[in-house]
Structure formats: C-alpha cells, structure tokens
Amino acid sequence: MSTKDFLEKDYYKTLGVAKTAKPAEIKAAYRKLARKYHPDANKGDSSAEERFKEISEAYSVLSDEKRRKEYDEARSLFPGGFRVPTGNRPGTGGFGFDLGDIFSGAGDAGGRLGDLFGGVFGGGRTTAQNRPRRGADVETETTLGFGDAIDGTTVALRLVGEGPCPVCRGTGAKAGTVPKVCPTCNGTGQSSRNLGSFGITEPCKECHGRGLVVEDPCPDCSGSGRAMSSRTINARIQAGVADGQRVKIPGKGAPGERGGPAGDLYVRVHVKPHPVFGRSGDNLTVTVPVTFAELALGAEVKVPAHRGAPVTVRIPAGTPNGRTFRVPGKGVRRKDGTTGSLLVTVDVMVPKDLNGKARSAIEELREATAGQDPREELLERAKLG
Ligand SMILES: [Zn+2]
Ligand SMILES: [Zn+2]
C-alpha cells in the first residue's frame, strides 16, 4: 500500500461502514465482502480481484486501532482529500515530496503535522529540519497558602502558549478548504535557477518554502495556522518550598516536536504570609507574648505549633526579653526527611489596665527594687570614649 493512499482512499466507503463504526461492525463488513469478492469464488474475474485487494487494504488499516487513528487524523486535516503530485523529485519513487519538509517551516504547527505525517508515512528522512526537537522550557507562577508550601501540595496550572489554530487545525486554510500544492514549485518548497554551468536552490518565493499555498485563509488565524491555546496541568509542589523559589517540573514544558522530549516547566512560587508563623529557612518562627513575672520567675508556657497541638516551652527564671527558644522537629520538613525547628521568641507584654491587686503588687516590687538603677551601667559606659 502506498503512503499517499491514506489521503486519497476512503476506507470506510470501501467497506461500506460509517466512520463511527465499531471494530465488530468493521470485521463483519469485511468478512461479508471478502467472501463475496474472494478470488477463489470469482475465478478469472480481474475486477473482483481488484475489489478484494481494496477491501483487504481497507480492513488492514481500519482493524488496527493505532493505524485507524492515524488515518482518521490525516483525513481530518485534509477533509477534501489531497492529491499528491508525483515525480517532481527524481529518486523518490512515486512520492513527489516529503510532507515533513513542507510543514516543518510552520513552527509548532509544522511540528505537529510533521509528527503526524511522520507516523502516517513512516518518516525515514532525517534532515536537520525534521529531526526530533525538544520542546521549549515554559515559565509560570503560582501562589500557595502558607501551610501548603510547608506540607507540599498539588496545584492546577493553566499554561498559555502558541499552538496549532484549532479552527483550521494548523493548516491555515478556511474551514471546508485545504491548502493547495504550490503551483510554482510543485510542492517542493524550493526553486532552482540555472546560472550557466551550475544551479542554485532557494526557498520558493510563492509559498516561502512551505510547498503549500492557502487560497482562502482561515479567518481565525489569518492563515498563519497558529493560535494561542491553553492547557491545564497538575503539578506537584514538594513540601518546604519557600517564597520566591523557582521550582522545576521536568517534562511539563512545551511538547517536543517529531517525537522529541517535552521541555521543562519552571514555576515561580509565591507564598502567602501566615498571621502567626513566619519562615526562616527550614525553621518556623513565632513570637509569644509573656508577662514580666514569667520571665523573672520562670514558667512553662503553651506555644502554638503549625498543624498540631500546642507545645510547652519552659522559660527559666531570669530570661531576658527577646530571647529565642528552639523547639526541634516542629519546623519545615526537609527533602531528607528531617524537620526544622520552631523558633519561639518571647516578648513581654505590658498590661494597659491593672486591677487594684496587681497594681499594689507592682508598686511593692518598685519599692523593693528602688535601690537598683537599671540604667546605671549604661550611663557610666556612655562616658567612655
Ligand atoms: Zn486557523
Ligand atoms: Zn512554492
């Protein structure tokens, strides 16, 4: 079977089934027709033999799920059929030009079509233009809640990029029409000029090397075959990501061309602040109000922990204000499975209103400490230097 058959022959019609026919229907239709036109049953009838060949060919494609899909896709791109000129290039047999070459000039759309035709037509040629190409890296950003950044989460990311125009499927031709083979270069995309004893080859001026010309451009993409499209992917963000970090998600960038690998996706992560907790590397921070008495006399204070029961921090007697205590294991989980700490900073609260008993107790404290001037040393040191 010739490769161009895919575009020229209607295998569904050959078997007398609908395009939506189920595999069982296709099989049944084939069996019925094969019995009728089998050469053994039609000895000497060359038209029956020809018909039998056509039926077998149609069935060989439509009965194979993968090939049927390729066939459907090829035909959906050129719904009106597609006559491939032959014999334009010496040495290419009956197949005049390489569709991969033609479409490779059209960027991503070309890549997609190149892929498709590579599959349909078996590829085989490896010029620089139709070699597999890795997809581009893509950048995006996302904003996470404080807790999601610490625990890790999965986010849905909407990626917008240029791809084949969905209306014309990247052909650039208005719906119901197809690009025509360029009459100037007969689809080769190249024109040759003879300059005395040697010739030069350059891209065809009529079709700009594409090999096809669009007579009725697709109004949606003005004939370019390209359009902005969006896709949504779910990306796993590892636990412990920090605000401003750039996370690499391998293989989630732009799709590769002609079987090449996809590019990578880079996600710039923003983390919303938490009303209570802060971050310092792998540690969480929290500032805890304490009373003067708790610092002076020592105390055990309850401190909030992120996602979990509060933890108790023992404050020794005589702790200065602003001291930080470390609670191991209550911070951010690291990649190696260990966890950072919760850093608890004490902050003395001075009461605005004092009841009678508290007021008289503090007045007593003032009298009891009247001999101590906390600024004495400061005033002395200020005289130095
Ligand atoms: Zn279009
Ligand atoms: Zn041309």
Side-chain angles (χ1 to χ4, degrees), residues 311-335:
V311 292
T312 299
V313 174
R314 205 183 66 78
I315 295 170
T319 294
N321 187 41
R323 172 166 287 184
T324 296
F325 296 87
R326 179 181 290 269
V327 184
K330 293 290 176 183
V332 180
R333 203 168 347 110
R334 301 187 187 99
K335 272 194 186 128

Side-chain angles (χ1 to χ4, degrees), residues 120-258:
V120 172
F121 297 108
R125 205 172 293 208
T126 48
T127 65
Q129 284 187 320
N130 61 15
R131 213 170 282 148
R133 205 163 75 188
R134 183 179 174 276
D137 291 341
V138 174
E139 297 256 358
T140 188
E141 53 186 353
T142 189
T143 300
L144 302 183
F146 188 86
D148 286 342
I150 289 172
D151 301 334
T153 186
T154 299
V155 289
L157 299 169
R158 192 164 165 272
L159 305 177
V160 178
E162 209 182 21
C165 167
V167 176
C168 62
R169 295 164 189 266
T171 65
K174 193 174 164 186
T177 72
V178 292
K180 289 216 158 42
V181 172
C182 173
T184 307
C185 62
N186 281 322
T188 61
Q190 293 179 340
S191 68
S192 301
R193 275 194 288 153
N194 282 321
L195 297 173
S197 56
F198 61 97
I200 57 163
T201 302
E202 55 190 5
C204 169
K205 286 193 175 62
E206 175 77 17
C207 62
H208 306 288
R210 196 183 171 203
L212 296 175
V213 286
V214 173
E215 290 184 329
D216 247 336
C218 164
D220 277 71
C221 63
S222 310
S224 70
R226 320 267 305 146
M228 295 305 281
S229 65
S230 75
R231 63 195 165 107
T232 301
I233 67 145
N234 289 318
R236 179 73 199 160
I237 306 286
Q238 294 296 317
V241 66
D243 185 43
Q245 202 175 316
R246 197 160 166 262
V247 176
K248 178 180 176 180
I249 299 170
K252 293 287 187 181
E257 292 178 15
R258 291 171 287 277

Side-chain angles (χ1 to χ4, degrees), residues 237-286:
I237 306 286
Q238 294 296 317
V241 66
D243 185 43
Q245 202 175 316
R246 197 160 166 262
V247 176
K248 178 180 176 180
I249 299 170
K252 293 287 187 181
E257 292 178 15
R258 291 171 287 277
D264 298 326
L265 173 64
Y266 289 92
V267 185
R268 177 79 62 187
V269 177
H270 306 286
V271 180
K272 284 187 202 151
H274 191 278
V276 166
F277 297 103
R279 281 273 296 272
S280 172
D282 297 328
N283 299 320
L284 290 181
T285 60
V286 64

